[in-house]
Amino acid sequence: MQGTSQGALHDALTRAFRQLTATFTTRSEVDPQALRRPDYALLAAVERHGSVRPSDLAAADGHDLSTVSRRVASLEGRGWVVRERDPDDGRACRVALTDEGTTRLATERAARAAIVTEVLVSWSEDDVRTLTDLLERMSDDVAASRPLTTHLERSSA
């Protein structure tokens, strides 16, 4: 890949993700039912990994454990996750989605998907499929290239 195209790709990705983030943030500011990004990200990570230790979530996300613990406590207070004893280490706990958390995440995912669908309404089905395939491939390659990729990230790839 040439330097110019690398720069253009980086700029295009940055702009697209910034625009999507701004759109989802605006939605969460005007819709009291919308999940804010940190809550959505944590619920999605728990769904992806299943019952998981908060320390593994922190490592996979690049956050410190205290930040993840506060988020988990907040989500637990809303009834969206539950803490369970780790069967492999009684001193530790695992976090799992509740049925309500699964429903809440599915509702938010559908709302966000509707926004993206609306944005791409003029795109052909082939273009949407190609974009999806390329973004999946890129995500897998980025995860595989990270030197400190955790076992959680490797197992979900």
Side-chain angles (χ1 to χ4, degrees), residues 32-125:
Q33 297 301 311
L35 288 176
R36 298 183 58 78
R37 185 200 169 287
D39 293 340
Y40 180 80
L42 188 63
L43 289 173
V46 174
E47 178 190 56
R48 187 172 48 254
H49 301 300
S51 178
V52 62
R53 287 181 175 196
S55 58
D56 289 336
L57 287 170
D61 238 3
H63 295 291
D64 64 54
L65 181 57
S66 64
T67 299
V68 171
S69 293
R70 281 191 303 276
R71 282 192 207 154
V72 166
S74 173
L75 296 176
E76 185 178 32
R78 294 182 209 158
W80 297 342
V81 298
V82 62
R83 292 178 207 240
E84 309 167 329
R85 279 221 181 276
D86 187 330
D88 299 326
D89 181 353
R91 299 168 298 166
C93 73
R94 292 184 164 277
V95 177
L97 287 179
T98 62
D99 289 343
E100 187 177 346
T102 299
T103 299
R104 189 68 195 90
L105 179 60
T107 300
E108 183 66 21
R109 185 175 282 131
R112 289 176 180 218
I115 291 169
V116 173
T117 298
E118 183 178 321
V119 168
L120 302 180
V121 71
S122 66
W123 288 37
S124 72
E125 186 65 34

